[in-house]
Amino acid sequence: MDIFQSYYTLDKGWIDPLPNLDSPQTLVLVFGHAVFLTQLEPFNEINRQYPNSVVAGCSTPAGILDNRVEKEGLVLSITRFCDTRLSYVAIEKRHEENSAELGNRIASDIMEDSLVAVLTFADGAAVNGSQYMQGISETLSSKVVVTGGLAADSGKQTQSWVLKQGRPKKATASAIGFYGDSVICLSSKGSGWKPFGVKRKVTKVDQEVLYELDGKPALKLYKDYLGEAANDLPHSGLLHPLAILSDNDEDHVVRSIIGIDEERQSISFAGDIPHGVSAQLMYGTLENLIEGAEKAVDNLPKIHTHSQGVLSIVTSCIGRLLVLNDDVELEVDAVLKKLFESAQGTQQIGFYSAGEFATLSEGVCELHNETLTLTVLYEQ
C-alpha cells in the first residue's frame, strides 16, 4: 500500500502537490468544512488528477490528519492498494424513503461473496443513523465489517455534505467496498464516559425521542440530575450523554442529546433507543476521554503485517470535540501513539461526526454517539 496525505485551505491550496497515484485500486478520502459545499475547486482538481480512483468523504467541523485536528480546510488521504479491489456507490435519499431502505439500497449495490469490509458515510441532517445501520446489517453478510459515520457541519446540521461523483451533495449516502483475500479491516471503539446515578428502565420511547424512564418524564429526571446545568440544555447534555446498557454493563452504547421538548417533557437523542432497556446518565473528564480513545486501540485485534502501509481512520463525535475543546488533539495523538506500538509508520485521517459506525461483533454494525470509533486498513 502506498499512502499520501495532505491538507488544503482556500487561501493557500494544497500544502503538497498531489502525487500520481491514480488507479482503480486507489482510495481518495476527503473530509472538510461545510463551506466546501459551494467551494468546488479542490474537488475539481482531485477529480482531474484521479479519474480512475474512488473519491469519497464528507463534511465535518474538524478534520483529523495524523495527530492534528484541522478546523478549517480539507484533509486528504490517498491510499493505493496492491491486491485489493474497490467499488464505490453514492446515492441520494429519496423523499419518501426511510433510512433503513437507504441502507438496504447501498448495501445491495456493493454486496458480493468476496466483500470483506464497507466504509460508509451518510448525511447526518437527512439520515437516521440507527435505521441506516439496520438496513445495512439486514442486507450484508455477517462476516462483513462496516465502519464510517454521519457527516456533520459546524452549526445546526444544515450544510452537511457527502461526496457523490467527487462533488459534495446533501441528503446523500456513500459506501466503499473492499474485496479480496489480501485486505484486512479492523474495527473498534472507545468512549471514556462513566455511568453515574440510578439505572432506569426505558418505559416510553418513539425511535430517538425518549418520553419516560421508570414511568417518569425523561426531561424532568434529566434536569433533576443536572441541577443548574439544566438551564443550558440541550447543549449541556453533551457533557452528560445516556448509556444504553446491555447485559454486560461495560459494553454500552452511548446516545447524545440533540433536543428537548418542554411541553412533552421529552428528549431527542442522536440515535434510536430501544424500549425496555436499562439506561444511565454519564459524565466525562479529559483524562477519561483520552483513556477511552486509547481503549479503542487496545480493543483492536492484533495488527499482523510486515508492510509499512497501515491506514488508520478515526471517526470521533462532535460532542467530544466540544468537550475536549483546546485539548482535542490529545485524543488523536493518543490513538496514533498507541498504533505505532504495533505498526510503526501508520498514517491517520479522520473526522468529527454526528454519529459513528462500527462493527464490534460478527454481523452487528451499530451507530454510536460521543464515541471514538477506529478503522484500521492494511494488506497482508
Side-chain angles (χ1 to χ4, degrees):
M1 282 169 50
D2 298 310
I3 303 175
F4 168 87
Q5 301 198 128
S6 191
Y7 176 60
Y8 178 94
T9 59
L10 288 171
D11 57 338
K12 296 182 179 179
W14 298 104
I15 58 170
D16 297 301
L18 299 181
N20 182 20
L21 292 174
D22 184 43
S23 78
Q25 293 171 284
T26 297
L27 172 62
V28 181
L29 290 177
V30 189
F31 304 110
H33 198 276
V35 70
F36 288 97
L37 182 65
T38 55
Q39 301 285 342
L40 301 182
E41 178 50 39
F43 301 114
N44 292 338
E45 186 175 353
I46 291 170
N47 293 332
R48 287 194 299 268
Q49 187 85 358
Y50 304 100
N52 300 301
S53 302
V54 170
V55 179
C58 64
S59 63
T60 178
I64 297 164
L65 200 64
D66 285 332
N67 59 357
R68 307 198 312 274
V69 175
E70 304 286 358
K71 296 184 179 180
E72 302 292 338
L74 298 169
V75 296
L76 171 140
S77 178
I78 302 171
T79 304
R80 184 171 61 185
F81 294 87
C82 296
D83 301 306
T84 301
R85 183 167 64 86
L86 305 178
S87 72
Y88 177 70
V89 58
I91 56 179
E92 295 182 46
K93 186 173 180 286
R94 297 167 181 158
H95 180 70
E96 73 285 356
E97 184 177 43
N98 65 43
S99 296
E101 292 169 336
L102 178 67
N104 180 281
R105 278 207 292 152
I106 280 277
S108 297
D109 282 351
I110 60 174
M111 183 59 196
E112 293 182 20
D113 290 342
S114 60
L115 180 65
V116 172
V118 173
L119 178 62
T120 180
F121 311 111
D123 185 349
V127 176
N128 179 306
S130 298
Q131 296 172 18
Y132 182 68
M133 283 290 98
Q134 177 187 346
I136 287 178
S137 293
E138 291 173 349
T139 307
L140 293 180
S141 162
S142 62
K143 297 180 180 180
V144 177
V145 175
V146 180
T147 65
L150 294 174
D153 66 13
S154 302
K156 298 182 179 180
Q157 280 296 97
T158 58
Q159 296 296 314
S160 49
W161 49 262
V162 170
L163 290 181
K164 178 184 180 184
Q165 296 177 334
R167 288 176 174 78
K169 298 289 183 182
K170 291 185 177 183
T172 296
S174 70
I176 305 107
F178 300 83
Y179 305 83
D181 296 330
S182 295
V183 65
I184 302 296
C185 180
L186 308 179
S187 173
S188 70
K189 75 174 179 74
S191 72
W193 300 97
K194 304 296 183 182
F196 75 97
V198 179
K199 296 179 187 178
R200 298 184 181 274
K201 188 175 183 179
V202 175
T203 49
K204 185 177 180 182
V205 66
D206 182 8
Q207 295 182 357
E208 76 277 12
V209 182
L210 177 64
Y211 292 95
E212 293 181 2
L213 291 164
D214 285 346
K216 300 176 182 179
L219 183 56
K220 183 180 185 305
L221 282 174
Y222 235 95
K223 286 184 173 182
D224 289 345
Y225 273 104
L226 296 186
E228 291 185 3
N231 296 325
D232 195 29
L233 281 171
H235 180 78
S236 60
L238 290 171
L239 304 176
H240 297 285
L242 192 70
I244 308 303
L245 304 176
S246 64
D247 294 336
N248 175 9
D249 287 353
E250 293 296 319
D251 185 19
H252 52 255
V253 173
V254 182
R255 288 287 177 260
S256 56
I257 294 178
I258 58 173
I260 61 174
D261 188 324
E262 294 282 359
E263 182 178 348
R264 297 184 179 183
Q265 285 292 290
S266 65
I267 307 173
S268 296
F269 289 86
D272 290 357
I273 297 175
H275 182 272
V277 300
S278 295
Q280 198 172 8
L281 269 69
M282 310 184 81
Y283 73 95
T285 65
L286 171 63
E287 292 77 14
N288 288 342
L289 294 183
I290 301 307
E291 288 176 5
E294 292 177 328
K295 189 173 181 180
V297 183
D298 294 337
N299 290 340
L300 284 172
K302 186 172 177 60
I303 299 173
H304 294 283
T305 180
H306 299 294
S307 170
Q308 293 297 310
V310 176
L311 180 66
S312 164
I313 304 170
V314 173
T315 309
S316 190
C317 184
I318 53 176
R320 298 173 70 91
L321 177 67
L322 295 173
V323 173
L324 292 170
N325 199 7
D326 292 339
D327 295 314
V328 68
E329 288 187 339
L330 292 178
E331 75 167 1
V332 296
D333 183 58
V335 169
L336 193 58
K337 283 180 177 177
K338 271 275 187 180
L339 286 170
F340 262 64
E341 293 175 8
S342 55
Q344 288 192 9
T346 298
Q347 297 188 61
Q348 185 162 273
I349 191 170
F351 68 106
Y352 283 84
S353 72
E356 303 80 56
F357 305 146
T359 300
L360 306 177
S361 59
E362 188 172 284
V364 181
C365 48
E366 289 187 289
L367 169 76
H368 303 270
N369 301 137
E370 304 275 5
T371 299
L372 185 147
T373 61
L374 184 60
T375 304
V376 173
L377 286 165
Y378 64 92
E379 290 182 303
Q380 59 182 358

